[in-house]
Amino acid sequence: MPPSVTSDENPLRRKVLDAALELFEERTWDGTNVPEIAARAGVAVGTIYRYFPNKQALGEAVFTEAKTAFANAVITDEVRKADPVTAIKMIWQHQIAFATAYPQAFSFLEHQVHGSYLRPQALEVVHRLNTELVEILQAAQAIGAVRPGDPQLLLSMVFGAFVGVTKYSRASGIPLSAYDWGSIGQAVMSLLGLKDHEPGEFTDP
Amino acid sequence: MPPSVTSDENPLRRKVLDAALELFEERTWDGTNVPEIAARAGVAVGTIYRYFPNKQALGEAVFTEAKTAFANAVITDEVRKADPVTAIKMIWQHQIAFATAYPQAFSFLEHQVHGSYLRPQALEVVHRLNTELVEILQAAQAIGAVRPGDPQLLLSMVFGAFVGVTKYSRASGIPLSAYDWGSIGQAVMSLLGLKDHEPGEFTDP
Amino acid sequence: MPPSVTSDENPLRRKVLDAALELFEERTWDGTNVPEIAARAGVAVGTIYRYFPNKQALGEAVFTEAKTAFANAVITDEVRKADPVTAIKMIWQHQIAFATAYPQAFSFLEHQVHGSYLRPQALEVVHRLNTELVEILQAAQAIGAVRPGDPQLLLSMVFGAFVGVTKYSRASGIPLSAYDWGSIGQAVMSLLGLKDHEPGEFTDP
Amino acid sequence: MPPSVTSDENPLRRKVLDAALELFEERTWDGTNVPEIAARAGVAVGTIYRYFPNKQALGEAVFTEAKTAFANAVITDEVRKADPVTAIKMIWQHQIAFATAYPQAFSFLEHQVHGSYLRPQALEVVHRLNTELVEILQAAQAIGAVRPGDPQLLLSMVFGAFVGVTKYSRASGIPLSAYDWGSIGQAVMSLLGLKDHEPGEFTDP
DNA sequence: CATGAATGAGAATTCATTCAT
DNA sequence: CATGAATGAATTCTCATTCAT
């Protein structure tokens, strides 16, 4: 069972969400069936339906919870108050910290392009997070600290590169905690063209 | 129907593969049902089973065909003969060309981490391609042209960044052909720490 | 392919009937599919439908042909002219001869209690044969040569005992030609209570 | 619904087995479809799959249950303790009793030469019963009470004759209880050449 | 409130039959 | 006339959901 991204009032609901996250990550939402989720959660099938009206709602809940936790972890109030360059560096560290602590949740979020089961409402969190990130990047571009160009695109590349690292981690079995985040950070900051960072700045979280 | 990555002896088999690729990309293998594939291919359900023993085999065929086409497009004999730095630049251009010509095939391949329907044999192509790419990267590192560090990891990051671009393309509706590949290339080569490239080198394919 | 119980005008139709008999005997009518019949007959599926409107008609044709051949083999004009006791002995010998020459046809006929695919018309031959046999048995009872009692029942028992021998033959792999038909005949004639037969009369056909 | 040959813990499983026996007897295993079984059992299709992994397993369960019940009914401990001649007579009576009480089960067992759906394991019961019967017959031959010759063959004939009676019963609609079992018994014992039985011994069960 | 047996709509697969070549 | 690819209705089996206990 993966570590929960949030604590939950009800322990059974919690177990269901955790089991579901784990299985959706392993197999896909479509590829997972409800009895399996119940089995892994150690509850009866009927119990799942006490907490979620149907499988789609369970999927949305898993997604929304994970995405919200990710957004909150990555953009904190401290980040909001920091200058753009510092903010970017903090976000990078937060992302590493989140993906290290909750690898399954992170991986699950990764694959939700295909969210046939996600209604637009569930995607709001995604947009909010995106907007905030883009704004920070634009601010950094405005002061010439980051390479010019479509900020969305830059963001996608940076995030993509990080996802690449996590995929490699899962494929190779080498946990995220084992990487040389200093040099990965330098590489990624080069990608952004980020001026104004001293060598040795990026250290393992 | 997406453009086919290969031509095929049998036109019905071809239509089935194309329709399946398209739907698997839109929805997931598990999330697509056989009648839908038949409908989109414009054939009867039974026809699919003339060419593929079952849905899993169809999934494998779609995957293997796309992955093989990708591998062949990316690493050509020319690439094999070139020096490491040139090879890397060629691969990068080939990847852009493939993803531009066959966006659905590329996107489909992207999401096949979850290939519950892929037997180990189907993953051979993946390993072969990977090995070749890593060797080229190592050669480039050996001559000091590329940032040191685990070549697999660097590869994952570069590929991840590119996937980030394609995801953004799909999400935003801006086709790959519309991007400033010159600056994207420079950004990515910075990620690799690639020495020895002149400004203005990376232009749209 | 089993030996055909009749010769047939058309060689393809013949091959289909033979293959079908063989498969229906091995598997059941329901359990046999048309492509299999075609394969065993060495013809294309479509060819079957040139000679038989559908699978049911093919089943009926196989049945009717085999049953008719059996009836003609068992009750000949010679039998009809003979006295009841001689007739019974001849019928017994004919039955052995038929089952020996066409074991698959005989076995197939055996299992057609379940002829869900046989329309009443196809069962006419059965009734005709049965009527003739019963009449002979009644004549033998009338002259006190055979045990009294329902002649149908006696007939069922004698035929049942013979079927028992053929089943054993198929199960054990010992061909019918290898049995001691003399003593089997004596045993069965005891079952009928048949008076008036000398020892040593029943010999292998 | 036929009378069940055994009682069963679970009433739904019981209903499914009973309905299946009935239909397999009427139509053949191949000729019966699962929804029909469900309908006759008065359960939903899915329910059948709660108790049996697939149609083949259901077929095997029906067969094994019926055959085991038959074996247990026919060879009891009393039979095992009796002298060969008495044992044979008891077996004969038991067989009549079983076929009278469970005509469908008996008829079903009859037609299972074609058990394409029976794995070897399911046929073990058959062999066990057969072995016991043959041993008893051999013992009777050893003391000269039964006609000499292959005991398997004699057994097949006696059983075949009995099956003949039951087939006639089903075809004619005259129930087994209506026959003159005394004279049938005498006829069959003549078939065996069974010495040492007094007239009038075989009476209806 | 939790359970898990029962349900039946829907998904995968088979196969009798047709028909263009 | 023979062929066998194509068809789609029928069949087996799965699984989201309900509901009596």
Side-chain angles (χ1 to χ4, degrees):
Chain A
M1 203 80 75
S4 309
V5 290
T6 57
S7 57
D8 200 87
E9 59 296 350
N10 188 304
L12 288 187
R13 189 173 192 277
R14 182 71 269 140
K15 287 201 282 181
V16 171
L17 284 167
D18 291 346
L21 170 64
E22 194 173 29
L23 284 163
F24 292 161
E25 193 275 317
E26 283 174 23
R27 306 212 211 307
T28 275
W29 180 81
D30 291 287
T32 306
N33 60 35
V34 178
E36 258 177 322
I37 301 171
R40 186 154 321 182
V43 303
V45 204
T47 303
I48 291 180
Y49 286 86
R50 184 155 296 287
Y51 295 103
F52 305 96
N54 50 45
K55 190 187 170 186
Q56 168 168 330
L58 171 57
E60 288 192 341
V62 169
F63 178 79
T64 304
E65 184 179 80
K67 197 77 189 188
T68 305
F70 179 69
N72 292 340
V74 159
I75 303 201
T76 58
D77 283 345
E78 227 187 337
V79 167
R80 287 193 187 91
K81 284 179 216 132
D83 69 284
V85 171
T86 311
I88 289 172
K89 291 173 188 166
M90 289 176 75
I91 288 168
W92 175 253
Q93 299 293 349
H94 290 162
Q95 187 172 345
I96 297 169
F98 185 90
T100 305
Y102 312 111
Q104 285 166 309
F106 187 83
S107 169
F108 165 74
L109 287 171
E110 246 344 83
H111 298 303
Q112 301 317 315
V113 201
H114 292 307
S116 55
Y117 61 94
L118 297 175
R119 282 165 307 157
Q121 180 212 339
L123 295 167
E124 257 176 48
V125 208
V126 181
H127 297 315
R128 246 201 324 276
L129 173 60
N130 200 252
T131 306
E132 285 207 82
L133 291 172
V134 166
E135 280 166 6
I136 291 166
L137 217 50
Q138 279 175 323
Q141 287 178 317
I143 61 173
V146 155
R147 193 189 290 277
D150 181 344
Q152 276 279 19
L153 185 60
L154 272 177
L155 189 62
S156 301
M157 291 174 73
V158 170
F159 188 66
F162 180 70
V163 167
V165 178
T166 64
K167 277 189 182 164
Y168 176 45
S169 166
R170 298 189 73 76
S172 65
I174 305 169
L176 290 182
S177 56
Y179 293 92
D180 175 3
W181 287 105
S183 66
I184 296 175
Q186 293 214 349
V188 170
M189 295 308 135
S190 311
L191 179 60
L192 279 177
L194 196 77
K195 309 287 179 347
D196 176 70
H197 62 281
E198 306 112 47
E201 179 173 16
F202 292 105
T203 53
D204 292 34
Chain B
M1 204 80 75
S4 308
V5 289
T6 56
S7 58
D8 200 88
E9 58 298 348
N10 187 305
L12 288 192
R13 188 173 193 276
R14 184 69 269 141
K15 287 200 284 180
V16 171
L17 284 167
D18 291 347
L21 170 65
E22 193 172 31
L23 283 162
F24 292 162
E25 193 274 318
E26 283 173 24
R27 306 209 210 309
T28 274
W29 180 81
D30 291 288
T32 306
N33 62 32
V34 178
E36 264 176 320
I37 301 171
R40 187 157 318 183
V43 303
V45 199
T47 302
I48 290 181
Y49 288 89
R50 283 201 81 62
Y51 295 103
F52 305 96
N54 49 47
K55 190 186 166 187
Q56 169 169 330
L58 171 57
E60 288 192 341
V62 169
F63 177 80
T64 304
E65 185 179 80
K67 196 78 190 188
T68 304
F70 179 69
N72 292 340
V74 159
I75 303 201
T76 59
D77 283 343
E78 226 186 340
V79 168
R80 289 193 185 91
K81 284 180 216 132
D83 68 283
V85 171
T86 311
I88 289 171
K89 291 174 187 166
M90 290 175 75
I91 289 167
W92 176 254
Q93 299 293 348
H94 290 163
Q95 188 172 31
I96 296 168
F98 184 92
T100 305
Y102 312 111
Q104 285 167 309
F106 187 83
S107 167
F108 166 74
L109 287 172
E110 246 344 83
H111 298 303
Q112 301 318 315
V113 201
H114 291 308
S116 53
Y117 62 92
L118 297 174
R119 283 166 306 156
Q121 181 213 341
L123 295 167
E124 258 176 49
V125 207
V126 181
H127 297 315
R128 250 205 316 280
L129 173 60
N130 201 252
T131 305
E132 285 207 83
L133 291 172
V134 166
E135 281 166 5
I136 291 167
L137 217 50
Q138 279 175 324
Q141 287 178 318
I143 60 172
V146 156
R147 192 189 293 277
D150 181 345
Q152 277 278 17
L153 185 60
L154 272 178
L155 190 62
S156 301
M157 290 174 74
V158 170
F159 188 66
F162 180 70
V163 167
V165 178
T166 64
K167 277 188 183 165
Y168 176 46
S169 165
R170 297 189 74 75
S172 65
I174 304 169
L176 289 182
S177 56
Y179 293 93
D180 176 3
W181 287 105
S183 65
I184 295 175
Q186 294 215 347
V188 170
M189 295 306 134
S190 312
L191 180 58
L192 280 177
L194 195 78
K195 309 287 180 347
D196 176 72
H197 62 281
E198 305 111 48
E201 179 173 17
F202 291 105
T203 54
D204 292 37
Chain C
M1 204 79 76
S4 309
V5 290
T6 57
S7 57
D8 200 85
E9 59 298 348
N10 187 305
L12 288 188
R13 189 174 192 275
R14 182 70 269 140
K15 287 201 282 180
V16 171
L17 283 167
D18 291 347
L21 170 65
E22 194 172 30
L23 284 162
F24 293 162
E25 194 274 319
E26 283 173 25
R27 306 209 211 308
T28 275
W29 180 80
D30 291 288
T32 305
N33 60 35
V34 178
E36 258 177 322
I37 300 171
R40 185 153 323 181
V43 303
V45 205
T47 303
I48 292 180
Y49 286 86
R50 185 156 296 287
Y51 295 103
F52 305 96
N54 49 46
K55 190 185 169 187
Q56 169 167 330
L58 170 57
E60 288 190 342
V62 169
F63 178 80
T64 305
E65 184 179 80
K67 197 79 191 187
T68 305
F70 178 69
N72 292 341
V74 159
I75 303 201
T76 59
D77 283 344
E78 225 187 341
V79 168
R80 288 194 186 90
K81 284 181 217 131
D83 69 282
V85 171
T86 310
I88 288 171
K89 292 173 188 167
M90 290 175 75
I91 288 168
W92 176 254
Q93 299 293 349
H94 290 162
Q95 187 172 20
I96 296 168
F98 185 91
T100 305
Y102 312 111
Q104 285 167 309
F106 187 83
S107 168
F108 165 74
L109 288 171
E110 243 346 81
H111 298 301
Q112 302 316 316
V113 201
H114 293 306
S116 54
Y117 61 93
L118 298 174
R119 282 166 306 157
Q121 180 213 340
L123 295 166
E124 257 176 49
V125 208
V126 182
H127 296 315
R128 248 203 320 279
L129 173 60
N130 199 252
T131 305
E132 285 207 84
L133 291 172
V134 166
E135 280 167 5
I136 291 167
L137 215 52
Q138 278 175 324
Q141 286 178 318
I143 61 173
V146 156
R147 193 189 291 277
D150 181 344
Q152 277 278 16
L153 185 62
L154 272 177
L155 189 62
S156 300
M157 290 173 73
V158 170
F159 187 67
F162 180 71
V163 167
V165 177
T166 64
K167 277 188 183 166
Y168 176 46
S169 165
R170 297 189 74 77
S172 64
I174 304 168
L176 290 182
S177 57
Y179 293 94
D180 175 2
W181 287 105
S183 66
I184 294 175
Q186 292 213 349
V188 170
M189 295 308 134
S190 311
L191 180 59
L192 279 177
L194 195 78
K195 309 284 179 350
D196 178 69
H197 63 280
E198 306 111 46
E201 178 173 17
F202 291 105
T203 55
D204 292 35
Chain D
M1 203 80 75
S4 309
V5 289
T6 56
S7 57
D8 200 86
E9 59 298 348
N10 187 305
L12 288 193
R13 189 174 193 274
R14 183 70 270 142
K15 287 201 283 180
V16 170
L17 284 167
D18 291 347
L21 170 64
E22 194 172 32
L23 284 162
F24 293 161
E25 193 274 318
E26 282 173 24
R27 305 210 209 309
T28 273
W29 180 81
D30 292 288
T32 306
N33 62 31
V34 178
E36 263 177 320
I37 301 171
R40 188 157 316 184
V43 303
V45 196
T47 302
I48 290 180
Y49 288 89
R50 281 200 82 60
Y51 294 104
F52 306 96
N54 49 48
K55 190 186 167 187
Q56 170 170 328
L58 171 57
E60 287 192 341
V62 168
F63 177 79
T64 303
E65 184 178 82
K67 197 77 189 189
T68 305
F70 178 69
N72 291 340
V74 159
I75 303 200
T76 59
D77 284 342
E78 229 187 337
V79 168
R80 288 193 186 90
K81 284 182 216 130
D83 69 282
V85 171
T86 311
I88 289 171
K89 290 173 187 166
M90 289 175 76
I91 288 167
W92 176 254
Q93 300 293 348
H94 290 162
Q95 188 171 29
I96 297 168
F98 185 91
T100 306
Y102 311 111
Q104 284 167 309
F106 187 84
S107 168
F108 166 74
L109 287 171
E110 247 345 84
H111 298 302
Q112 302 317 314
V113 201
H114 290 309
S116 54
Y117 60 92
L118 297 174
R119 283 166 305 158
Q121 182 213 341
L123 296 167
E124 259 177 47
V125 207
V126 181
H127 296 315
R128 249 204 317 281
L129 173 60
N130 201 253
T131 305
E132 284 207 83
L133 291 172
V134 166
E135 280 167 6
I136 291 166
L137 217 51
Q138 278 174 322
Q141 288 178 318
I143 60 174
V146 156
R147 191 190 293 277
D150 182 345
Q152 276 277 18
L153 185 60
L154 272 176
L155 190 62
S156 301
M157 291 174 74
V158 171
F159 188 67
F162 181 70
V163 167
V165 178
T166 64
K167 276 189 184 164
Y168 176 45
S169 165
R170 297 190 74 76
S172 64
I174 305 170
L176 289 182
S177 55
Y179 292 93
D180 175 3
W181 288 104
S183 65
I184 294 175
Q186 292 214 348
V188 170
M189 295 307 133
S190 311
L191 178 59
L192 280 177
L194 195 78
K195 309 287 180 346
D196 177 71
H197 62 280
E198 303 113 48
E201 179 173 15
F202 292 104
T203 55
D204 292 37

